[in-house]
Amino acid sequence: HMEPWAQATPLMAFPHPMACPKHMEPWAQMCQKAAIQNTPLTPYIDAELLAHNHLALDGSLVTSTGFRYSVPALTAESLREQIDLFIEQKLFPPVL
């Protein structure tokens, strides 16, 4: 069941106040268990970073210059490759 206000408003317009803190402690525990002491990866994002910023691009302006993406589409396989690289670099806990 969706609240009436959510039907007309993007869900990220009203992030749940516990969304980040809810994930911070488990993330820290997973990193500690994997002996990861420092990583640029985090489940935290400030609501201000989402406000008034476009979160989707079609890329047509970039490709109109002749640029070609080395990975033209995000797939489960390409995402897994990146996560595996982060695990290898000790930036992401080996939990997947």
Side-chain angles (χ1 to χ4, degrees):
H1 169 352
M2 187 178 284
E3 295 296 328
W5 59 264
Q7 293 175 1
T9 306
L11 293 178
M12 291 310 295
F14 298 99
H16 189 280
M18 290 302 293
C20 288
K22 175 182 174 183
H23 297 98
M24 293 299 291
E25 186 175 337
W27 175 254
Q29 291 169 351
M30 288 188 301
C31 288
Q32 184 178 24
K33 185 176 179 180
I36 297 172
Q37 296 180 6
N38 192 10
T39 178
L41 305 175
T42 176
Y44 179 79
I45 188 164
D46 192 300
E48 287 295 317
L49 294 174
L50 299 174
H52 311 294
N53 288 307
H54 297 285
L55 301 176
L57 302 171
D58 71 2
S60 60
L61 185 60
V62 173
T63 55
S64 71
T65 67
F67 177 85
R68 296 292 170 250
Y69 294 98
S70 60
V71 180
L74 181 63
T75 64
E77 182 181 346
S78 64
L79 184 58
R80 181 60 201 216
E81 286 174 14
Q82 187 61 58
I83 292 173
D84 287 344
L85 180 61
F86 288 150
I87 290 170
E88 185 179 310
Q89 294 171 335
K90 302 254 186 245
L91 297 174
F92 194 93
V95 295
L96 297 177

